[in-house]
Each structure stands twice: as structure tokens, then as C-alpha cells.
Amino acid sequence: MNKEIYGNLIFELSNQNRKGYKLPKNDFPDEDVIPEKLRREKEPQLPQVDEPTVVRHYTNMSTNNFGVDTGFYPLGSCTMKYNPKINEQIASDDSILSAHPYQPDSTVQGNLELYFNLQRFLSEIGGMAEFTLNPYAGAHGELTGLMIIKAYHESNGDTKRNKVVVPDSAHGTNPASAAVAGFDVVEVKSLPDGTIDVESLKAVLDDSVAAVMMTNPNTLGIFEKNIPQISEIVHESGALLYYDGANLNPLLGVARPGDMGFDVMHINLHKTFSTPHGGGGPGSGPVGVRKGLEKFLPYPKVVRKTDGSFSIMTDDKESMGSISPTLGNFDVQVKALTYILSLGKEGLKEAGSLATLNANYIKEKLKEYYLLPIEGVCKHEFVFDGLKDKSTGVTTLNIAKRLLDMGYHAPTIYFPLLFHESLMIEPTETESKETIDQFIEAMKKIAKEATENPEIVKSAPHHTPVTRPDDTEAALHPVVTWNDLKQQNNNV
Ligand SMILES: *Cc1c(COP(=O)(O)O)cnc(C)c1O
């Protein structure tokens, strides 16, 4: 731990009897309230600090992290959209914060109405008949969708469909979800233009395939223009077509997966609908189905009764079952609904188009310096295959690290796996032209440095609190609690 940068740990700032509060003496006989066996034996060892010290400590720590509130965050495939502050304000309302998932229906009618309305809006946006908002993330939505597909085939007595087909450009969660749902995964190659090879797809479609999972635009930011034909051959084979909605952003208000022939889809509210997801959550992965598949959706379900009131239905014979004990991450749902209502139909359409424009602008400005493996118009994101001139040995990892020195979060690197030096950029619609131009200049500067002074790029970052941590070690053995090393040594 580098003290000069991080400062002291809060425990090291502790001073005997220093306090940030003053309470009157407790005259409540707590012995009578808490039974002896439930009381702690020893006072907890908490840091003793005054209020300004605590505030400064945590404020300083927060600025050691990069976030979308501190700078441009062009992470591809993740849609790191700016989270408007009004979302937080609405989601922090006491009626939302203090609601309990098991409160009687009659006491949370307003909240159930929000759930119901968001489900209707998503159905309209996706071109689906009905949505469930219960899954907690995109991957959880994929699992839900595949379980719905399984329930559908089983209801037809069609039990030998044990395969799920995914293109080689798919996000890793697609094959993983298929495996968790009990299917065998079949991979289909992409063509040089980045779209799925329809002939190869045809070759694997038979009566053992339950579903084909597609992302459109795909993870290269390319629109799968053969989707009508794909939909036709998939349905002819008796399989269903699943839409991974992580890339829905550029299509908002312009095109709908339901109209393209998709039967089941998920949406990542924490991507397309602007709720924050740095650090892994909380997320929300609603799943929508086309007409005829509604009965397989999971419970609990929110239903509107004939008198206009709402209730939670907790059982349903034909349903795939339950994927979560409650109605999902309600605070994330509220933020998404706030975003949809504040933008409106026209605003959503504008967001998708602007995201696409921004991505194409960056791509065209930088393709002279970075290798663009797939030419042409992209949607909301695109992929470079590292530098055009790789002779000095500067890699995509080096470029990503050097961007941190210049105040930008790195784009997604080494994904998709189709290229060796993938660098995947997604600017979103919320960035100004000035920010985007500054980013383009930074990328050009790095390309220039890579030729003239490659060492400075290879040894980057030079200005961040941590330089190059051991990613594997950090993931395998994270240190998440404070340990008093002195005390530990004494105990040995
Ligand atoms: C992010 C993403 C997923 C997984 O979503 P999570 O919410 O992270 O579980 C699936 N597919 C694609 C294309 C993605 O970008």
C-alpha cells in the first residue's frame, strides 16, 4: 500500500478517545433488553477519529477511483452511460427506499404500478408481448430466457432439443448461461465483415437445437442485416431466436427485436437505461417474450385486476418457475423508468442515433492511426485491432494504461476474441463533442508516442495511484478487510 498516495488507513488515524459526535449519557437499562448470551463480550475495535478526519479520509479515497462521474468512460459492450442525477433523486424517495419486498400488496400499490408501467414500456420498446423485471442482471436474464425456451419446448412434448447455438462474436455469458441451463453449446463462425455466417448457421440447425442466441448489433457494433433470413431458417427448424439486448442502445426508438423475429429477449437496464454498474452492480436484466410465450414467464408476477388495483401473483402452473424470490432490484427499475419518462419517445430515439453518430465520428477520426479490421458504418461501438503500426511492440494493454494517464478510462480490451489486439470503443450519446474531440486527440498522441517514445507507453500509467497491479492475484486473493498487521504478528 502506497501511503503517499492513499494516505493512512482509517484505523491508523485512530486516536484514543477522539470522537466525531457527542451524545447524552445513556440512561436506558439495556441489560433488560438484550439477553446476556446475545451481548458481545468485548467492545468492537473501531477507529476513534473526529468528523473532519473521517470526511476527508473517505472523500480522498473516492477520488482514487475512476468513474463516469469523474471522466469519459468509453467501455465497449458495457454502455457506461451517464446516470442522470434525477434518477438517483427519484429512487431515493422514502416511499421507494423504505418499501419491503414482502409488504402486503395493498400497502405498495404505487410501487407495483411503477413495476407494471416499466414492464409495459419495455414491451413497447422491444416489440414484445410481456416482460418480467425479476432477473438481477443480463446473464441472469439469459438464464431466465433459456429456461422459458426449455419450458416452451417441453410443453410441446419436444424434449430432444438439447443444443443452443451462439456466434463466435458472442459475449461469454451467452455460452455460460446456455451451459448453466443444461444445454450443449454450438458455436458458429463470423464472416470477415463481422456478421454471422448464415450458411454455417444453416448447417447446424436441426431438431436438436432449442435456441439461437444473437446480439444485434453484435459485439463488433455491426448490425446483422440478414436477420430476417436468419429468423426464417431458425423458426423453420423449430428453434426459438433469443435476443441478447446488451446492445439495444443504438436501436432505441428506431428498430425493435420483436419486429426482427426474436421470440425472447433480455434488456440490461444498467446499460441501456442509464443506471450505474461500475463495480458489478446492482443490475437488472428484464426478460421479454413474444405473444404466445407469456405463460412461461417466471413468478412472482405483477397483475392488474379488473378493479384497476395491482397484486402479486406467486404461482402459475405453466410458468418456468421462479428465478428470484421477489420482483428484482426495484431501485434499478425505478431509475430506468425515470430515464424513459424523462427522455420520452423522441428523446430515446435521439439517444440511440447520437450514440451511433459519436461512435462513427471517433472511428473515422482515428482509423488512420489504429487498425480498423471491419470498414463501414458501425452502430454504437466499434473495434480496433491495436495500432496500425505495431513495429515498436506497443500493445492494446499499453494503450489502455496510457489513456489512464490522460484522464480517460480505458475502452474494453482483448474482447471480442476475434482479433489479437481488440480495443473496443463505445462513447454513448451523453458525451459532448468537446469531450469526444479531446479523447480523439489523446488517442492520436498515444499513437505518436508509440512511434517516437514507445517506452513511455509501455511503462504507463505514470500518474495513477496504482500502476500495474497483478490482475490475476487481485481477483484470486482480494484483500477486502483491514488487518492489523502488528496485532497479527503478535498473535503468531
Ligand atoms: C454485459 C453483457 C452481457 C451480460 O450482462 P450482465 O448484466 O453483465 O450480466 C451479455 N451480453 C453482452 C453483449 C453484454 O455486453
Side-chain angles (χ1 to χ4, degrees):
M1 190 69 81
N2 186 336
K3 276 221 173 114
E4 272 172 36
I5 296 155
Y6 283 113
N8 289 299
L9 294 167
I10 192 83
F11 284 91
E12 294 165 347
L13 297 170
S14 182
N15 242 317
Q16 197 67 33
N17 295 327
R18 190 134 323 153
K19 275 185 194 161
Y21 67 91
K22 200 167 169 58
L23 293 178
K25 203 170 156 26
N26 182 11
D27 57 2
F28 194 77
D30 52 11
E31 291 93 300
D32 298 344
V33 179
I34 304 172
E36 179 80 37
K37 64 177 190 329
L38 294 181
R39 267 180 257 156
R40 23 173 120 82
E41 285 163 16
K42 233 171 44 176
E43 279 303 304
Q45 298 301 299
L46 297 175
Q48 304 189 42
V49 277
D50 52 88
E51 184 172 316
T53 305
V54 177
V55 171
R56 285 174 197 152
H57 173 73
Y58 284 110
T59 305
N60 286 331
M61 280 231 299
S62 76
T63 61
N64 283 332
N65 239 341
F66 197 102
V68 79
D69 281 356
T70 46
F72 183 41
Y73 208 126
L75 206 63
S77 202
C78 294
T79 310
M80 291 301 288
K81 226 177 222 199
Y82 175 71
N83 173 44
K85 295 304 163 227
I86 188 170
N87 291 1
E88 296 296 328
Q89 219 174 324
I90 304 281
S92 312
D93 190 271
D94 201 44
S95 60
I96 286 155
L97 275 189
S98 59
H100 191 279
Y102 295 127
Q103 249 173 271
D105 301 357
S106 63
T107 64
V108 283
Q109 284 293 305
N111 291 1
L112 296 181
E113 188 173 355
L114 295 185
Y115 182 103
F116 189 82
N117 286 347
L118 178 60
Q119 181 236 297
R120 290 308 314 148
F121 282 133
L122 296 181
S123 301
E124 180 61 32
I125 290 168
M128 293 282 148
E130 197 177 322
F131 259 85
T132 172
L133 313 181
N134 299 7
Y136 294 117
H140 202 210
E142 291 169 24
L143 177 62
T144 309
L146 291 167
M147 286 167 77
I148 289 171
I149 291 171
K150 200 174 220 174
Y152 161 79
H153 288 307
E154 276 167 9
S155 78
N156 292 336
D158 195 356
T159 49
K160 60 178 180 305
R161 295 186 181 266
N162 62 348
K163 289 184 200 152
V164 165
V165 177
V166 296
D168 59 359
S169 62
H171 193 276
T173 51
N174 291 185
S177 302
V180 172
F183 293 106
D184 294 331
V185 179
V186 180
E187 195 178 272
V188 174
K189 293 256 167 295
S190 297
L191 294 169
D193 72 356
T195 60
I196 192 169
D197 182 356
V198 179
E199 290 311 311
S200 306
L201 177 62
K202 248 187 213 160
V204 298
L205 286 175
D206 59 24
D207 61 2
S208 67
V209 174
V212 177
M213 298 180 86
M214 291 195 52
T215 311
N216 197 18
N218 62 28
T219 60
L220 294 159
I222 309 287
F223 190 79
E224 299 277 358
K225 55 187 183 312
N226 293 323
I227 194 65
Q229 192 197 350
I230 292 170
S231 163
E232 202 180 307
I233 60 173
V234 169
H235 290 128
E236 255 166 32
S237 78
L240 295 187
L241 195 55
Y242 182 91
Y243 183 82
D244 176 335
N247 290 349
L248 186 65
N249 201 36
L251 303 190
L252 285 177
V254 179
R256 309 192 307 171
D259 300 335
M260 295 177 208
F262 286 96
D263 304 290
V264 182
M265 69 178 287
H266 82 256
I267 294 178
N268 306 58
L269 293 187
H270 47 286
K271 293 179 180 174
T272 311
F273 294 103
S274 86
T275 60
H277 57 292
S284 177
V287 170
V289 293
R290 68 152 162 79
K291 207 164 167 32
L293 297 175
E294 301 97 320
K295 60 184 176 194
F296 301 112
L297 283 166
Y299 54 82
K301 281 181 191 179
V302 175
V303 290
R304 182 157 34 189
K305 296 193 287 197
T306 43
D307 66 359
S309 68
F310 297 91
S311 74
I312 302 177
M313 201 166 82
T314 52
D315 207 349
D316 191 349
K317 266 206 304 298
E318 291 188 278
S319 155
M320 55 152 277
S322 180
I323 194 75
S324 51
T326 61
L327 295 165
N329 274 329
F330 188 57
D331 61 328
V332 180
Q333 296 163 12
V334 170
K335 289 175 206 178
L337 182 61
T338 307
Y339 181 75
I340 292 172
L341 288 173
S342 54
L343 261 72
K345 195 173 170 187
E346 290 308 310
L348 284 179
K349 188 170 176 176
E350 206 179 328
S353 309
L354 267 178
T356 302
L357 177 65
N358 288 353
N360 279 284
Y361 179 67
I362 297 176
K363 169 173 66 69
E364 291 304 311
K365 289 272 183 187
L366 289 177
K367 69 177 187 185
E368 190 185 323
Y369 308 87
Y370 293 86
L371 185 63
L372 182 64
I374 299 170
E375 281 279 354
V377 179
C378 63
K379 286 290 174 283
H380 62 306
E381 65 188 2
F382 64 94
V383 181
F384 282 133
D385 187 4
L387 281 161
K388 224 172 180 175
D389 173 10
K390 296 190 175 63
S391 63
T392 57
V394 169
T395 62
T396 279
L397 179 68
N398 301 147
I399 298 162
K401 295 287 184 191
R402 186 65 176 142
L403 270 172
L404 292 171
D405 276 340
M406 302 188 179
Y408 300 100
H409 194 278
T412 295
I413 59 173
Y414 300 111
F415 176 80
L417 307 174
L418 298 175
F419 312 112
H420 285 299
E421 293 289 330
S422 286
L423 187 76
M424 186 186 208
I425 299 175
E426 177 179 356
T428 79
E429 68 284 356
T430 42
E431 298 303 330
S432 68
K433 176 152 186 303
E434 290 76 15
T435 302
I436 289 179
D437 281 333
Q438 285 157 11
F439 173 73
I440 290 169
E441 285 317 307
M443 287 290 284
K444 283 186 189 169
K445 184 163 180 248
I446 295 171
K448 214 161 147 213
E449 284 176 347
T451 320
E452 293 166 2
N453 183 9
E455 275 321 304
I456 198 168
V457 188
K458 288 183 188 175
S459 55
H462 306 281
H463 309 313
T464 53
V466 176
T467 51
R468 291 202 178 201
D470 180 336
D471 294 343
T472 315
E473 184 62 19
L476 288 178
H477 304 291
V479 182
V480 291
T481 52
W482 180 75
N483 288 305
D484 187 342
L485 291 177
K486 258 193 315 213
Q487 206 172 318
Q488 270 183 4
N489 290 341
N490 287 345
N491 290 347
V492 176

